[in-house]
Amino acid sequence: MAENHALRLAAVGKEYLQGENRLTILDAAELTLAPGEMVALVAPSGAGKSTLLHIAGLLDRPDTGEVYVGGVASGTLGDEARTAMRRQAIGFVYQFHHLLPEFSALENVMLPQMIGGLDRKAASARAQELLDYMRIGARSEHRPAELSGGEQQRVAIARAVANSPHVLLADEPTGNLDPTTSGYVFDALTALVRQSGVAALIATHNHDLARRMDHAITLEAGKIVPLDMS
Ligand SMILES: Nc1ncnc2c1ncn2[C@@H]1O[C@H](COP(=O)(O)OP(=O)(O)OP(=O)(O)O)[C@@H](O)[C@H]1O
């Protein structure tokens, strides 16, 4: 049942036209993520990871099939309703933090909540709680440029879950960090996913990190298939 899934892609198809050629990226692809589940997306460059993340994140529409977020079908929604759904129900983390440089760490985590309609006081309390949880609460007044790469990514992760989304989509979230820092940031991300119950789909080339997730998937001829990491 779709209702119990944080994210469900049902028979999703996506093609691109490259000159005369039709490039099939997704072909009746199926994927379900339960709340609190962490899934690694491991695929070679060009296989369609970004396409899949964009479709799952409602940034792009599939040609065929349906994307359910929190049990709600997105296909028939107009642009405005899709944007609202994306803001409320989906969090994004990228390889580079994309924090707003002129705002403090706290303000960066407050902003999506205030855009969602929360008042300043409540947003500030929630942001501080999340930064404390990510063990950077003491740096909450600092601007991104005053933080290390690992700290910046922890702020970006806190920001992504600030609105208590159903789904967290991450594209190489520790790809810009050294291995030790990457491990620490991934530990914090894992703890947050488990504690919040958000479902996480995390694209990574790092097989050690992929092994630490619940399972791994890859893309093969347009299908989403399990990947054995052992
Ligand atoms: N708008 C587009 N028009 C035509 N072809 C596209 C378009 N976007 C992507 N492609 C092609 O679709 C394929 C999959 O692209 P995608 O960006 O999803 O791959 P990826 O797995 O994320 O790669 P990488 O890891 O290098 O970012 C690539 O061959 C790409 O050239």
Coordinates of all heavy atoms in Angstrom, one line a residue, residues 16-18 23 25 43-52 205, ligand 1:
Y16 N 15.2 10.8 -22.7 CA 15.7 12.1 -23.3 C 15.9 11.9 -24.8 O 16.3 10.9 -25.2 CB 17.0 12.5 -22.6 CG 16.9 12.9 -21.2 CD1 17.7 12.2 -20.2 CD2 16.2 13.9 -20.7 CE1 17.6 12.5 -18.9 CE2 16.1 14.3 -19.4 CZ 16.8 13.5 -18.5 OH 16.7 13.9 -17.1
L17 N 15.8 13.0 -25.5 CA 16.1 13.0 -26.9 C 17.5 13.6 -27.1 O 17.7 14.7 -26.6 CB 15.1 13.8 -27.7 CG 13.8 13.1 -28.2 CD1 12.9 14.1 -28.9 CD2 14.2 11.9 -29.0
Q18 N 18.4 12.9 -27.7 CA 19.7 13.4 -28.0 C 19.9 13.4 -29.5 O 20.2 12.3 -30.0 CB 20.8 12.7 -27.2 CG 20.8 13.0 -25.7 CD 22.1 12.5 -25.0 OE1 22.8 11.7 -25.6 NE2 22.3 13.0 -23.8
L23 N 17.0 8.3 -25.6 CA 17.8 7.7 -24.5 C 16.9 7.4 -23.4 O 16.3 8.2 -22.8 CB 18.8 8.8 -24.1 CG 20.1 8.4 -23.4 CD1 21.0 7.5 -24.3 CD2 20.9 9.6 -23.0
I25 N 16.3 6.5 -19.8 CA 17.0 6.5 -18.5 C 16.3 5.7 -17.5 O 16.9 4.9 -16.7 CB 17.1 8.0 -18.0 CG1 17.8 8.9 -19.1 CG2 17.9 8.0 -16.7 CD1 19.2 8.4 -19.5
A43 N 25.7 4.0 -8.7 CA 25.6 3.8 -10.1 C 26.7 4.5 -10.9 O 27.1 5.6 -10.4 CB 24.2 4.1 -10.7
P44 N 27.2 4.0 -12.0 CA 28.2 4.7 -12.7 C 27.7 6.1 -13.2 O 26.5 6.3 -13.4 CB 28.6 3.8 -13.9 CG 27.6 2.7 -13.8 CD 26.8 2.8 -12.6
S45 N 28.7 6.9 -13.5 CA 28.3 8.3 -14.0 C 27.5 8.1 -15.3 O 27.9 7.3 -16.2 CB 29.6 9.0 -14.3 OG 29.4 10.2 -14.8
G46 N 26.5 8.9 -15.5 CA 25.7 8.8 -16.7 C 24.6 7.8 -16.7 O 23.7 7.7 -17.6
A47 N 24.5 7.0 -15.6 CA 23.5 5.9 -15.5 C 22.1 6.5 -15.3 O 21.1 5.9 -15.5 CB 23.8 4.9 -14.5
G48 N 22.0 7.7 -14.7 CA 20.8 8.4 -14.4 C 20.5 8.7 -13.0 O 19.3 8.9 -12.6
K49 N 21.5 8.8 -12.2 CA 21.3 9.1 -10.7 C 20.6 10.4 -10.5 O 19.6 10.6 -9.8 CB 22.6 9.1 -10.0 CG 23.2 7.8 -9.7 CD 24.4 7.9 -8.8 CE 25.5 8.8 -9.3 NZ 26.3 8.3 -10.4
S50 N 21.1 11.4 -11.2 CA 20.6 12.8 -11.1 C 19.1 12.8 -11.6 O 18.2 13.4 -10.9 CB 21.4 13.8 -11.8 OG 22.7 13.8 -11.4
T51 N 18.9 12.1 -12.7 CA 17.5 12.1 -13.2 C 16.6 11.4 -12.2 O 15.5 12.0 -11.9 CB 17.5 11.2 -14.5 OG1 18.4 11.8 -15.4 CG2 16.1 11.1 -15.1
L52 N 17.0 10.3 -11.6 CA 16.2 9.7 -10.6 C 15.9 10.6 -9.4 O 14.8 10.7 -8.9 CB 16.9 8.4 -10.1 CG 16.2 7.6 -9.0 CD1 14.8 7.2 -9.4 CD2 17.0 6.3 -8.7
H205 N 29.3 7.2 -4.3 CA 30.3 6.3 -4.9 C 31.1 5.6 -3.8 O 31.9 4.8 -4.1 CB 31.3 7.1 -5.8 CG 30.6 7.6 -7.1 ND1 30.4 8.9 -7.4 CD2 30.1 6.9 -8.1 CE1 29.8 9.0 -8.5 NE2 29.6 7.8 -9.0
Ligands
LIG1 N1 18.0 17.3 -20.3 C1 18.7 16.3 -20.9 N2 18.6 16.1 -22.3 C2 19.2 15.1 -22.9 N3 20.0 14.2 -22.3 C3 20.1 14.3 -20.9 C4 19.5 15.4 -20.2 N4 19.8 15.2 -18.9 C5 20.6 14.1 -18.8 N5 20.8 13.6 -20.0 C6 21.5 12.3 -20.3 O1 20.9 11.3 -19.6 C7 21.9 10.4 -19.0 C8 21.8 10.4 -17.5 O2 22.0 11.6 -16.9 P1 22.1 11.9 -15.4 O3 22.6 13.3 -15.2 O4 20.9 11.4 -14.7 O5 23.3 10.9 -15.0 P2 24.1 10.7 -13.6 O6 24.1 9.2 -13.3 O7 23.5 11.6 -12.6 O8 25.6 11.1 -14.0 P3 26.7 11.8 -13.1 O9 27.0 10.9 -11.9 O10 27.8 12.0 -14.0 O11 26.1 13.1 -12.6 C9 23.3 11.0 -19.4 O12 23.7 10.3 -20.6 C10 22.9 12.4 -19.8 O13 23.8 12.9 -20.9

